Amino acid sequence: MNKNFFISTPIYYPSGKPHIGTAYATALADVIAKYKRLIGYDVFFLTGLDEHGQKVQEAAEKNGFANPQAYTDDVAKNFVDLWKKMDISNTKFIRTTDQYHVESVKKIFSQMIKNNDIYLGKWESLYCVGCEEDYTKEDAVVKDGELYCRVGHKLTHKLEDSYFFKMSAYQNWINEYFSANPNLIYPTSRMNEMKQSFLNNGLLDLSVSRTTFSWGVPIVENNKHVIYVWVDALFNYITALGYNSADETLFNKYWKDEQTEVVHLVGKDIARFHTIYWPIMLHSLNLRLPSKVIATGWIMAEDGKKMSKSLNNVIDPNEIIDLYGNDIFKYYIFKEFSIADDNNFSVKKMLELYNSDLANIFGNLVSRTIGMLKLYTDSVILRPVCAKSEYTETLLSAETKLLDSIEAAINNFDIKKVICMIVDYAKDLNKYVDDTKPWILKKENKFDEIHDFLFYLSNGIRIYTTLLSPILTDGIKLIKEQMQFDDEMVAYKNIKNSDILFNHKVDESKPIYVRK
C-alpha cells in the first residue's frame, strides 16, 4: 500500500513579522505531519513565503529597503527562526522569489495561454491591496462613506489592462466537482459558503496580471505585465516538488500519484482561492487535484475581537513561547481550539490547561511511577508473573480501545480528539494506581502483584509518551530521559510490544512540568 502524504500551509506574506495566526496554522500542519509520520507515512510537509505583489512592494518602500528582494530576505529570517523555535518539521521552505519557482510559473502561465484559458482585456475593480483580492460594491463593507474589505482594509479603484483567466468557462465543471467531492473542504460549512458566495451567482473571469507595479513574475508573452500574486502563489505547491524542472521525482511521488493524499491547510479567508480557482487551474493543465482543503477559523483576542495593530491586541508567538514554553502553547491550541470555528486566545486558560493536564496528569504520573519503582523494585521494571487483576484487565481494555481508534482520529485530522483520548487514558492510569493501592499490597507482602502493577503502569506511560511525541517536545525528552526509553521503545511500530520493558531500569525522577 502506498503511504505517501503531502501537506502544506498557506504561504505567508512577508509584509510583517509572523503572528499568532501564522503560528497556529503552521503548528497545526506540523502536528498532522508528525502524526502521519508516526503511524508510518512518508510525508512531505511544505511551508514558505508569498513574496511578490503590491503589498510586499509597498512594505519594502515603507520600511526603507532599497528593493523588495532585500526586504523579503530580511523578513524571511523571522519566519525561519520562529519555525525552528517551535520545532516545526517542514520538509521544505519555499519562497516565491526562488528562481526555480519563478521559471516554472512563467511556463505554467504560457501553457494556460496556449490552452486558450487566458485572454487580454481591461480590468476594473475595487481592490484590496492587503488581501490581494477583488471586491464588488455588493461585497464591500461601507464605513463613513468609504469602502472596505471584510478584514477592514480600504479598497482602491483599479482600471488597467489585464490578462484574464476564463473561470466562467469552468462553471459547470466546478459545480460537478463539488458535487462529486462533498468531503473536499473541511468543515463542510465552508463548502456551503463557497457555493453561496461565489458559485451560485455565476463564476466571473479572474484578472491574473498587473501593470501598475513591477514586483512579480513577468509574463513571457508581454513583459509589461506581472502575474497576479495569487496565481504565482498557488502554484508553489507543485513547483516546490520540481514541477516543470529537470527532475520531477518528488512531483511524481507526492502529487502526480493519485494514491498520495494531498492536503492544503489554509485560513477560511483564503478558502475561495484554494477550493475554486486552484482546482480550476489544475484542471486546465490536466493535473490532479487536492484530496482535501482544511479551512481553519481565525484566532481572536480574548475578548472575542479580531486582532489588529490598531487595537493593540496582536499576540506575538515569540513572546508567548519565550514566557511559557513551546509545549504548553502547542498543547493548548491543539486541545482547546476547534478547527472549524474562530477561537479566542487566553493566556489564563492556557495556564489552567498546563497545570491540569501537563503538570498534574502527564508529568506527575511519571514522577509517581519512578518513585514507586525505586521503592519497590530498585528502579527495575520486572516481567509480570501473576494472573491479571480486575483493575489490570480494565486498564488493558482502555489501552486496546485507545490503540484501536487513534489512527482513525489521526487520519481524520482530529488532533483535538487524539489529545482527549490520550488524556482519558492517562486518567485511567491514575485511576489504576488508586484502585490497585500498592501501599496496601505492600502491607500484605504481595510484592509480585506490586511488580506486575508497576509493569502495566510503566507500559502505559510508554504508550502515552509515544502518542504525545508529535505535540510535546521538551516534556517528552524529559520523560524519555527519566524512564530511560530509547527510540525503539517509543516507536509506534512497537507500541503494542510491552515485552520491550522486561527488566528495564529507570532513572531518577525530576520535575517535568512545574505548576505555574
Side-chain angles (χ1 to χ4, degrees), residues 2-7 41-45 91 237-238 241 248-263 288 291:
N2 188 336
K3 295 187 74 174
N4 296 329
F5 180 76
F6 175 95
I7 187 166
Y41 282 77
D42 184 339
V43 175
F44 194 101
F45 169 26
T91 312
Y237 303 127
I238 59 175
L241 297 172
E248 292 191 336
T249 303
L250 294 176
F251 173 74
N252 292 333
K253 178 179 180 180
Y254 292 107
W255 193 280
K256 189 175 181 179
D257 186 345
E258 293 285 349
Q259 297 303 309
T260 299
E261 188 175 12
V262 173
V263 176
R288 71 154 287 179
S291 311

PDB file of all heavy atoms in Angstrom, residues 2-7 41-45 91 237-238 241 248-263 288 291:
ATOM      1  N   ASN A   2       0.561   2.190  -0.892  1.00  0.00           N
ATOM      2  CA  ASN A   2       1.278   3.463  -0.948  1.00  0.00           C
ATOM      3  C   ASN A   2       0.873   4.307   0.252  1.00  0.00           C
ATOM      4  O   ASN A   2      -0.300   4.565   0.484  1.00  0.00           O
ATOM      5  CB  ASN A   2       0.915   4.191  -2.243  1.00  0.00           C
ATOM      6  CG  ASN A   2       1.768   5.432  -2.451  1.00  0.00           C
ATOM      7  OD1 ASN A   2       2.291   6.002  -1.512  1.00  0.00           O
ATOM      8  ND2 ASN A   2       1.903   5.831  -3.693  1.00  0.00           N
ATOM      9  N   LYS A   3       1.853   4.756   1.056  1.00  0.00           N
ATOM     10  CA  LYS A   3       1.545   5.567   2.236  1.00  0.00           C
ATOM     11  C   LYS A   3       2.279   6.904   2.164  1.00  0.00           C
ATOM     12  O   LYS A   3       2.923   7.320   3.116  1.00  0.00           O
ATOM     13  CB  LYS A   3       1.892   4.810   3.507  1.00  0.00           C
ATOM     14  CG  LYS A   3       1.054   3.560   3.721  1.00  0.00           C
ATOM     15  CD  LYS A   3       1.292   2.921   5.071  1.00  0.00           C
ATOM     16  CE  LYS A   3       0.656   3.697   6.186  1.00  0.00           C
ATOM     17  NZ  LYS A   3       0.752   3.012   7.495  1.00  0.00           N
ATOM     18  N   ASN A   4       2.195   7.559   0.999  1.00  0.00           N
ATOM     19  CA  ASN A   4       2.763   8.902   0.856  1.00  0.00           C
ATOM     20  C   ASN A   4       1.712   9.939   1.233  1.00  0.00           C
ATOM     21  O   ASN A   4       0.519   9.757   0.986  1.00  0.00           O
ATOM     22  CB  ASN A   4       3.230   9.139  -0.577  1.00  0.00           C
ATOM     23  CG  ASN A   4       4.365   8.215  -0.961  1.00  0.00           C
ATOM     24  OD1 ASN A   4       5.176   7.824  -0.130  1.00  0.00           O
ATOM     25  ND2 ASN A   4       4.425   7.844  -2.230  1.00  0.00           N
ATOM     26  N   PHE A   5       2.172  11.039   1.798  1.00  0.00           N
ATOM     27  CA  PHE A   5       1.262  12.080   2.269  1.00  0.00           C
ATOM     28  C   PHE A   5       1.920  13.436   2.057  1.00  0.00           C
ATOM     29  O   PHE A   5       3.093  13.625   2.383  1.00  0.00           O
ATOM     30  CB  PHE A   5       0.962  11.855   3.757  1.00  0.00           C
ATOM     31  CG  PHE A   5       0.034  12.868   4.368  1.00  0.00           C
ATOM     32  CD1 PHE A   5      -1.325  12.812   4.119  1.00  0.00           C
ATOM     33  CD2 PHE A   5       0.502  13.866   5.205  1.00  0.00           C
ATOM     34  CE1 PHE A   5      -2.205  13.731   4.691  1.00  0.00           C
ATOM     35  CE2 PHE A   5      -0.350  14.789   5.780  1.00  0.00           C
ATOM     36  CZ  PHE A   5      -1.715  14.718   5.527  1.00  0.00           C
ATOM     37  N   PHE A   6       1.132  14.379   1.501  1.00  0.00           N
ATOM     38  CA  PHE A   6       1.606  15.742   1.272  1.00  0.00           C
ATOM     39  C   PHE A   6       0.709  16.698   2.041  1.00  0.00           C
ATOM     40  O   PHE A   6      -0.520  16.629   1.940  1.00  0.00           O
ATOM     41  CB  PHE A   6       1.562  16.069  -0.221  1.00  0.00           C
ATOM     42  CG  PHE A   6       1.917  17.504  -0.571  1.00  0.00           C
ATOM     43  CD1 PHE A   6       3.208  17.840  -0.940  1.00  0.00           C
ATOM     44  CD2 PHE A   6       0.960  18.502  -0.512  1.00  0.00           C
ATOM     45  CE1 PHE A   6       3.538  19.156  -1.263  1.00  0.00           C
ATOM     46  CE2 PHE A   6       1.266  19.821  -0.829  1.00  0.00           C
ATOM     47  CZ  PHE A   6       2.574  20.149  -1.204  1.00  0.00           C
ATOM     48  N   ILE A   7       1.314  17.596   2.802  1.00  0.00           N
ATOM     49  CA  ILE A   7       0.534  18.628   3.488  1.00  0.00           C
ATOM     50  C   ILE A   7       1.248  19.963   3.358  1.00  0.00           C
ATOM     51  O   ILE A   7       2.484  20.032   3.377  1.00  0.00           O
ATOM     52  CB  ILE A   7       0.288  18.287   4.971  1.00  0.00           C
ATOM     53  CG1 ILE A   7      -0.683  19.301   5.595  1.00  0.00           C
ATOM     54  CG2 ILE A   7       1.594  18.194   5.757  1.00  0.00           C
ATOM     55  CD1 ILE A   7      -1.247  18.874   6.933  1.00  0.00           C
ATOM     56  N   TYR A  41       3.631   6.951   7.578  1.00  0.00           N
ATOM     57  CA  TYR A  41       3.543   7.604   6.273  1.00  0.00           C
ATOM     58  C   TYR A  41       4.856   8.301   5.908  1.00  0.00           C
ATOM     59  O   TYR A  41       5.572   8.803   6.780  1.00  0.00           O
ATOM     60  CB  TYR A  41       2.419   8.648   6.269  1.00  0.00           C
ATOM     61  CG  TYR A  41       1.046   8.045   6.133  1.00  0.00           C
ATOM     62  CD1 TYR A  41       0.425   7.429   7.216  1.00  0.00           C
ATOM     63  CD2 TYR A  41       0.352   8.086   4.917  1.00  0.00           C
ATOM     64  CE1 TYR A  41      -0.840   6.869   7.105  1.00  0.00           C
ATOM     65  CE2 TYR A  41      -0.912   7.535   4.798  1.00  0.00           C
ATOM     66  CZ  TYR A  41      -1.503   6.930   5.893  1.00  0.00           C
ATOM     67  OH  TYR A  41      -2.750   6.378   5.769  1.00  0.00           O
ATOM     68  N   ASP A  42       5.129   8.323   4.624  1.00  0.00           N
ATOM     69  CA  ASP A  42       6.232   9.110   4.067  1.00  0.00           C
ATOM     70  C   ASP A  42       5.651  10.480   3.754  1.00  0.00           C
ATOM     71  O   ASP A  42       4.841  10.629   2.838  1.00  0.00           O
ATOM     72  CB  ASP A  42       6.756   8.433   2.806  1.00  0.00           C
ATOM     73  CG  ASP A  42       7.965   9.128   2.203  1.00  0.00           C
ATOM     74  OD1 ASP A  42       8.171  10.326   2.486  1.00  0.00           O
ATOM     75  OD2 ASP A  42       8.696   8.484   1.432  1.00  0.00           O
ATOM     76  N   VAL A  43       6.066  11.502   4.517  1.00  0.00           N
ATOM     77  CA  VAL A  43       5.401  12.811   4.489  1.00  0.00           C
ATOM     78  C   VAL A  43       6.284  13.881   3.860  1.00  0.00           C
ATOM     79  O   VAL A  43       7.477  13.982   4.169  1.00  0.00           O
ATOM     80  CB  VAL A  43       5.018  13.249   5.921  1.00  0.00           C
ATOM     81  CG1 VAL A  43       4.429  14.665   5.917  1.00  0.00           C
ATOM     82  CG2 VAL A  43       4.031  12.263   6.531  1.00  0.00           C
ATOM     83  N   PHE A  44       5.659  14.690   3.012  1.00  0.00           N
ATOM     84  CA  PHE A  44       6.284  15.921   2.521  1.00  0.00           C
ATOM     85  C   PHE A  44       5.462  17.073   3.077  1.00  0.00           C
ATOM     86  O   PHE A  44       4.275  17.210   2.774  1.00  0.00           O
ATOM     87  CB  PHE A  44       6.298  15.973   0.999  1.00  0.00           C
ATOM     88  CG  PHE A  44       7.212  17.047   0.438  1.00  0.00           C
ATOM     89  CD1 PHE A  44       8.464  16.726  -0.063  1.00  0.00           C
ATOM     90  CD2 PHE A  44       6.827  18.388   0.431  1.00  0.00           C
ATOM     91  CE1 PHE A  44       9.313  17.703  -0.567  1.00  0.00           C
ATOM     92  CE2 PHE A  44       7.658  19.370  -0.064  1.00  0.00           C
ATOM     93  CZ  PHE A  44       8.912  19.037  -0.569  1.00  0.00           C
ATOM     94  N   PHE A  45       6.101  17.893   3.898  1.00  0.00           N
ATOM     95  CA  PHE A  45       5.429  18.999   4.579  1.00  0.00           C
ATOM     96  C   PHE A  45       6.039  20.306   4.070  1.00  0.00           C
ATOM     97  O   PHE A  45       7.211  20.563   4.251  1.00  0.00           O
ATOM     98  CB  PHE A  45       5.598  18.839   6.089  1.00  0.00           C
ATOM     99  CG  PHE A  45       5.194  20.037   6.920  1.00  0.00           C
ATOM    100  CD1 PHE A  45       4.256  20.962   6.485  1.00  0.00           C
ATOM    101  CD2 PHE A  45       5.749  20.214   8.178  1.00  0.00           C
ATOM    102  CE1 PHE A  45       3.893  22.050   7.261  1.00  0.00           C
ATOM    103  CE2 PHE A  45       5.401  21.301   8.969  1.00  0.00           C
ATOM    104  CZ  PHE A  45       4.476  22.221   8.512  1.00  0.00           C
ATOM    105  N   THR A  91       9.452  19.825   5.502  1.00  0.00           N
ATOM    106  CA  THR A  91      10.413  19.209   4.580  1.00  0.00           C
ATOM    107  C   THR A  91      11.100  20.279   3.739  1.00  0.00           C
ATOM    108  O   THR A  91      12.284  20.166   3.429  1.00  0.00           O
ATOM    109  CB  THR A  91       9.681  18.223   3.644  1.00  0.00           C
ATOM    110  OG1 THR A  91       8.826  17.383   4.420  1.00  0.00           O
ATOM    111  CG2 THR A  91      10.676  17.381   2.865  1.00  0.00           C
ATOM    112  N   TYR A 237       2.767  24.985  -4.550  1.00  0.00           N
ATOM    113  CA  TYR A 237       2.563  23.636  -4.044  1.00  0.00           C
ATOM    114  C   TYR A 237       3.151  22.573  -4.962  1.00  0.00           C
ATOM    115  O   TYR A 237       3.516  21.489  -4.492  1.00  0.00           O
ATOM    116  CB  TYR A 237       1.067  23.368  -3.833  1.00  0.00           C
ATOM    117  CG  TYR A 237       0.403  24.357  -2.897  1.00  0.00           C
ATOM    118  CD1 TYR A 237      -0.747  25.051  -3.277  1.00  0.00           C
ATOM    119  CD2 TYR A 237       0.917  24.601  -1.628  1.00  0.00           C
ATOM    120  CE1 TYR A 237      -1.354  25.960  -2.423  1.00  0.00           C
ATOM    121  CE2 TYR A 237       0.318  25.510  -0.769  1.00  0.00           C
ATOM    122  CZ  TYR A 237      -0.815  26.191  -1.176  1.00  0.00           C
ATOM    123  OH  TYR A 237      -1.425  27.090  -0.327  1.00  0.00           O
ATOM    124  N   ILE A 238       3.240  22.880  -6.253  1.00  0.00           N
ATOM    125  CA  ILE A 238       3.833  21.889  -7.163  1.00  0.00           C
ATOM    126  C   ILE A 238       5.223  22.296  -7.643  1.00  0.00           C
ATOM    127  O   ILE A 238       6.035  21.424  -7.969  1.00  0.00           O
ATOM    128  CB  ILE A 238       2.899  21.566  -8.340  1.00  0.00           C
ATOM    129  CG1 ILE A 238       2.556  22.799  -9.169  1.00  0.00           C
ATOM    130  CG2 ILE A 238       1.634  20.893  -7.840  1.00  0.00           C
ATOM    131  CD1 ILE A 238       1.723  22.472 -10.409  1.00  0.00           C
ATOM    132  N   LEU A 241       7.844  20.857  -5.562  1.00  0.00           N
ATOM    133  CA  LEU A 241       8.090  19.434  -5.803  1.00  0.00           C
ATOM    134  C   LEU A 241       8.832  19.192  -7.112  1.00  0.00           C
ATOM    135  O   LEU A 241       9.043  18.041  -7.499  1.00  0.00           O
ATOM    136  CB  LEU A 241       6.760  18.676  -5.818  1.00  0.00           C
ATOM    137  CG  LEU A 241       5.969  18.685  -4.505  1.00  0.00           C
ATOM    138  CD1 LEU A 241       4.584  18.079  -4.724  1.00  0.00           C
ATOM    139  CD2 LEU A 241       6.716  17.935  -3.415  1.00  0.00           C
ATOM    140  N   GLU A 248      11.532  15.768 -11.850  1.00  0.00           N
ATOM    141  CA  GLU A 248      10.177  15.791 -11.318  1.00  0.00           C
ATOM    142  C   GLU A 248       9.892  14.591 -10.413  1.00  0.00           C
ATOM    143  O   GLU A 248       8.736  14.205 -10.196  1.00  0.00           O
ATOM    144  CB  GLU A 248       9.163  15.843 -12.455  1.00  0.00           C
ATOM    145  CG  GLU A 248       9.177  17.154 -13.231  1.00  0.00           C
ATOM    146  CD  GLU A 248       7.991  17.285 -14.175  1.00  0.00           C
ATOM    147  OE1 GLU A 248       7.426  16.247 -14.571  1.00  0.00           O
ATOM    148  OE2 GLU A 248       7.632  18.435 -14.514  1.00  0.00           O
ATOM    149  N   THR A 249      10.936  14.016  -9.829  1.00  0.00           N
ATOM    150  CA  THR A 249      10.775  12.823  -8.988  1.00  0.00           C
ATOM    151  C   THR A 249       9.824  13.077  -7.829  1.00  0.00           C
ATOM    152  O   THR A 249       8.906  12.283  -7.564  1.00  0.00           O
ATOM    153  CB  THR A 249      12.139  12.370  -8.431  1.00  0.00           C
ATOM    154  OG1 THR A 249      13.041  12.136  -9.517  1.00  0.00           O
ATOM    155  CG2 THR A 249      11.990  11.090  -7.620  1.00  0.00           C
ATOM    156  N   LEU A 250      10.027  14.179  -7.109  1.00  0.00           N
ATOM    157  CA  LEU A 250       9.176  14.486  -5.963  1.00  0.00           C
ATOM    158  C   LEU A 250       7.751  14.802  -6.410  1.00  0.00           C
ATOM    159  O   LEU A 250       6.783  14.413  -5.754  1.00  0.00           O
ATOM    160  CB  LEU A 250       9.753  15.654  -5.167  1.00  0.00           C
ATOM    161  CG  LEU A 250      11.085  15.400  -4.462  1.00  0.00           C
ATOM    162  CD1 LEU A 250      11.585  16.689  -3.797  1.00  0.00           C
ATOM    163  CD2 LEU A 250      10.938  14.287  -3.429  1.00  0.00           C
ATOM    164  N   PHE A 251       7.620  15.498  -7.520  1.00  0.00           N
ATOM    165  CA  PHE A 251       6.297  15.810  -8.054  1.00  0.00           C
ATOM    166  C   PHE A 251       5.542  14.528  -8.388  1.00  0.00           C
ATOM    167  O   PHE A 251       4.360  14.380  -8.054  1.00  0.00           O
ATOM    168  CB  PHE A 251       6.422  16.701  -9.290  1.00  0.00           C
ATOM    169  CG  PHE A 251       5.122  16.932  -9.994  1.00  0.00           C
ATOM    170  CD1 PHE A 251       4.162  17.782  -9.466  1.00  0.00           C
ATOM    171  CD2 PHE A 251       4.843  16.289 -11.198  1.00  0.00           C
ATOM    172  CE1 PHE A 251       2.951  17.987 -10.115  1.00  0.00           C
ATOM    173  CE2 PHE A 251       3.637  16.490 -11.848  1.00  0.00           C
ATOM    174  CZ  PHE A 251       2.698  17.343 -11.310  1.00  0.00           C
ATOM    175  N   ASN A 252       6.209  13.599  -9.015  1.00  0.00           N
ATOM    176  CA  ASN A 252       5.571  12.332  -9.377  1.00  0.00           C
ATOM    177  C   ASN A 252       5.157  11.535  -8.140  1.00  0.00           C
ATOM    178  O   ASN A 252       4.109  10.879  -8.129  1.00  0.00           O
ATOM    179  CB  ASN A 252       6.512  11.493 -10.241  1.00  0.00           C
ATOM    180  CG  ASN A 252       6.738  12.103 -11.612  1.00  0.00           C
ATOM    181  OD1 ASN A 252       5.888  12.837 -12.127  1.00  0.00           O
ATOM    182  ND2 ASN A 252       7.888  11.832 -12.206  1.00  0.00           N
ATOM    183  N   LYS A 253       5.975  11.605  -7.098  1.00  0.00           N
ATOM    184  CA  LYS A 253       5.731  10.821  -5.887  1.00  0.00           C
ATOM    185  C   LYS A 253       4.644  11.429  -5.013  1.00  0.00           C
ATOM    186  O   LYS A 253       3.752  10.725  -4.537  1.00  0.00           O
ATOM    187  CB  LYS A 253       7.037  10.697  -5.092  1.00  0.00           C
ATOM    188  CG  LYS A 253       6.899   9.934  -3.779  1.00  0.00           C
ATOM    189  CD  LYS A 253       8.248   9.831  -3.071  1.00  0.00           C
ATOM    190  CE  LYS A 253       8.130   9.067  -1.762  1.00  0.00           C
ATOM    191  NZ  LYS A 253       9.436   8.956  -1.060  1.00  0.00           N
ATOM    192  N   TYR A 254       4.731  12.742  -4.773  1.00  0.00           N
ATOM    193  CA  TYR A 254       3.865  13.369  -3.774  1.00  0.00           C
ATOM    194  C   TYR A 254       2.669  14.117  -4.372  1.00  0.00           C
ATOM    195  O   TYR A 254       1.827  14.607  -3.619  1.00  0.00           O
ATOM    196  CB  TYR A 254       4.662  14.329  -2.895  1.00  0.00           C
ATOM    197  CG  TYR A 254       5.659  13.650  -1.994  1.00  0.00           C
ATOM    198  CD1 TYR A 254       7.026  13.712  -2.255  1.00  0.00           C
ATOM    199  CD2 TYR A 254       5.231  12.927  -0.884  1.00  0.00           C
ATOM    200  CE1 TYR A 254       7.944  13.091  -1.429  1.00  0.00           C
ATOM    201  CE2 TYR A 254       6.148  12.298  -0.056  1.00  0.00           C
ATOM    202  CZ  TYR A 254       7.501  12.385  -0.330  1.00  0.00           C
ATOM    203  OH  TYR A 254       8.408  11.761   0.495  1.00  0.00           O
ATOM    204  N   TRP A 255       2.607  14.241  -5.693  1.00  0.00           N
ATOM    205  CA  TRP A 255       1.462  14.931  -6.283  1.00  0.00           C
ATOM    206  C   TRP A 255       0.819  14.129  -7.400  1.00  0.00           C
ATOM    207  O   TRP A 255      -0.381  13.835  -7.349  1.00  0.00           O
ATOM    208  CB  TRP A 255       1.859  16.317  -6.805  1.00  0.00           C
ATOM    209  CG  TRP A 255       0.652  17.155  -7.127  1.00  0.00           C
ATOM    210  CD1 TRP A 255      -0.126  17.097  -8.253  1.00  0.00           C
ATOM    211  CD2 TRP A 255       0.041  18.124  -6.282  1.00  0.00           C
ATOM    212  NE1 TRP A 255      -1.182  17.977  -8.164  1.00  0.00           N
ATOM    213  CE2 TRP A 255      -1.103  18.632  -6.962  1.00  0.00           C
ATOM    214  CE3 TRP A 255       0.355  18.643  -5.020  1.00  0.00           C
ATOM    215  CZ2 TRP A 255      -1.925  19.609  -6.419  1.00  0.00           C
ATOM    216  CZ3 TRP A 255      -0.469  19.624  -4.484  1.00  0.00           C
ATOM    217  CH2 TRP A 255      -1.592  20.099  -5.175  1.00  0.00           C
ATOM    218  N   LYS A 256       1.582  13.776  -8.389  1.00  0.00           N
ATOM    219  CA  LYS A 256       1.010  13.120  -9.563  1.00  0.00           C
ATOM    220  C   LYS A 256       0.384  11.774  -9.222  1.00  0.00           C
ATOM    221  O   LYS A 256      -0.652  11.397  -9.788  1.00  0.00           O
ATOM    222  CB  LYS A 256       2.093  12.950 -10.635  1.00  0.00           C
ATOM    223  CG  LYS A 256       1.553  12.483 -11.982  1.00  0.00           C
ATOM    224  CD  LYS A 256       2.674  12.466 -13.019  1.00  0.00           C
ATOM    225  CE  LYS A 256       2.149  12.017 -14.368  1.00  0.00           C
ATOM    226  NZ  LYS A 256       3.218  12.009 -15.400  1.00  0.00           N
ATOM    227  N   ASP A 257       1.005  11.062  -8.309  1.00  0.00           N
ATOM    228  CA  ASP A 257       0.492   9.754  -7.900  1.00  0.00           C
ATOM    229  C   ASP A 257      -0.872   9.928  -7.225  1.00  0.00           C
ATOM    230  O   ASP A 257      -0.987  10.552  -6.170  1.00  0.00           O
ATOM    231  CB  ASP A 257       1.469   9.097  -6.922  1.00  0.00           C
ATOM    232  CG  ASP A 257       1.078   7.675  -6.569  1.00  0.00           C
ATOM    233  OD1 ASP A 257      -0.074   7.287  -6.842  1.00  0.00           O
ATOM    234  OD2 ASP A 257       1.907   6.954  -5.992  1.00  0.00           O
ATOM    235  N   GLU A 258      -1.905   9.374  -7.804  1.00  0.00           N
ATOM    236  CA  GLU A 258      -3.270   9.539  -7.295  1.00  0.00           C
ATOM    237  C   GLU A 258      -3.463   8.886  -5.931  1.00  0.00           C
ATOM    238  O   GLU A 258      -4.425   9.194  -5.209  1.00  0.00           O
ATOM    239  CB  GLU A 258      -4.283   8.957  -8.288  1.00  0.00           C
ATOM    240  CG  GLU A 258      -4.375   9.711  -9.607  1.00  0.00           C
ATOM    241  CD  GLU A 258      -5.123  11.031  -9.482  1.00  0.00           C
ATOM    242  OE1 GLU A 258      -5.750  11.252  -8.429  1.00  0.00           O
ATOM    243  OE2 GLU A 258      -5.067  11.831 -10.437  1.00  0.00           O
ATOM    244  N   GLN A 259      -2.563   7.966  -5.540  1.00  0.00           N
ATOM    245  CA  GLN A 259      -2.686   7.310  -4.245  1.00  0.00           C
ATOM    246  C   GLN A 259      -2.174   8.184  -3.100  1.00  0.00           C
ATOM    247  O   GLN A 259      -2.462   7.912  -1.927  1.00  0.00           O
ATOM    248  CB  GLN A 259      -1.906   5.982  -4.258  1.00  0.00           C
ATOM    249  CG  GLN A 259      -2.426   4.968  -5.262  1.00  0.00           C
ATOM    250  CD  GLN A 259      -3.887   4.647  -5.044  1.00  0.00           C
ATOM    251  OE1 GLN A 259      -4.302   4.327  -3.934  1.00  0.00           O
ATOM    252  NE2 GLN A 259      -4.678   4.725  -6.101  1.00  0.00           N
ATOM    253  N   THR A 260      -1.421   9.220  -3.430  1.00  0.00           N
ATOM    254  CA  THR A 260      -0.914  10.118  -2.391  1.00  0.00           C
ATOM    255  C   THR A 260      -2.024  11.057  -1.944  1.00  0.00           C
ATOM    256  O   THR A 260      -2.700  11.674  -2.773  1.00  0.00           O
ATOM    257  CB  THR A 260       0.275  10.946  -2.922  1.00  0.00           C
ATOM    258  OG1 THR A 260       1.334  10.065  -3.304  1.00  0.00           O
ATOM    259  CG2 THR A 260       0.779  11.903  -1.849  1.00  0.00           C
ATOM    260  N   GLU A 261      -2.195  11.165  -0.641  1.00  0.00           N
ATOM    261  CA  GLU A 261      -3.180  12.102  -0.101  1.00  0.00           C
ATOM    262  C   GLU A 261      -2.546  13.491  -0.075  1.00  0.00           C
ATOM    263  O   GLU A 261      -1.481  13.686   0.518  1.00  0.00           O
ATOM    264  CB  GLU A 261      -3.595  11.679   1.302  1.00  0.00           C
ATOM    265  CG  GLU A 261      -4.749  12.484   1.855  1.00  0.00           C
ATOM    266  CD  GLU A 261      -5.231  11.984   3.204  1.00  0.00           C
ATOM    267  OE1 GLU A 261      -4.526  11.155   3.824  1.00  0.00           O
ATOM    268  OE2 GLU A 261      -6.310  12.423   3.641  1.00  0.00           O
ATOM    269  N   VAL A 262      -3.209  14.445  -0.723  1.00  0.00           N
ATOM    270  CA  VAL A 262      -2.712  15.819  -0.808  1.00  0.00           C
ATOM    271  C   VAL A 262      -3.658  16.736  -0.030  1.00  0.00           C
ATOM    272  O   VAL A 262      -4.835  16.845  -0.357  1.00  0.00           O
ATOM    273  CB  VAL A 262      -2.623  16.290  -2.279  1.00  0.00           C
ATOM    274  CG1 VAL A 262      -2.270  17.768  -2.351  1.00  0.00           C
ATOM    275  CG2 VAL A 262      -1.595  15.460  -3.045  1.00  0.00           C
ATOM    276  N   VAL A 263      -3.124  17.386   0.998  1.00  0.00           N
ATOM    277  CA  VAL A 263      -3.944  18.203   1.896  1.00  0.00           C
ATOM    278  C   VAL A 263      -3.376  19.613   1.987  1.00  0.00           C
ATOM    279  O   VAL A 263      -2.186  19.795   2.243  1.00  0.00           O
ATOM    280  CB  VAL A 263      -4.011  17.578   3.307  1.00  0.00           C
ATOM    281  CG1 VAL A 263      -4.776  18.486   4.270  1.00  0.00           C
ATOM    282  CG2 VAL A 263      -4.648  16.194   3.250  1.00  0.00           C
ATOM    283  N   ARG A 288      -3.644  16.523 -11.388  1.00  0.00           N
ATOM    284  CA  ARG A 288      -4.516  16.004 -10.342  1.00  0.00           C
ATOM    285  C   ARG A 288      -4.885  17.107  -9.357  1.00  0.00           C
ATOM    286  O   ARG A 288      -4.198  18.126  -9.244  1.00  0.00           O
ATOM    287  CB  ARG A 288      -3.864  14.843  -9.593  1.00  0.00           C
ATOM    288  CG  ARG A 288      -2.713  15.262  -8.696  1.00  0.00           C
ATOM    289  CD  ARG A 288      -2.506  14.296  -7.550  1.00  0.00           C
ATOM    290  NE  ARG A 288      -3.561  14.430  -6.541  1.00  0.00           N
ATOM    291  CZ  ARG A 288      -3.607  13.675  -5.451  1.00  0.00           C
ATOM    292  NH1 ARG A 288      -2.688  12.739  -5.231  1.00  0.00           N
ATOM    293  NH2 ARG A 288      -4.557  13.857  -4.564  1.00  0.00           N
ATOM    294  N   SER A 291      -6.699  16.395  -2.363  1.00  0.00           N
ATOM    295  CA  SER A 291      -7.636  15.473  -1.722  1.00  0.00           C
ATOM    296  C   SER A 291      -8.561  16.210  -0.772  1.00  0.00           C
ATOM    297  O   SER A 291      -9.744  15.886  -0.660  1.00  0.00           O
ATOM    298  CB  SER A 291      -6.868  14.399  -0.937  1.00  0.00           C
ATOM    299  OG  SER A 291      -5.855  13.819  -1.710  1.00  0.00           O
TER     300      SER A 291
END
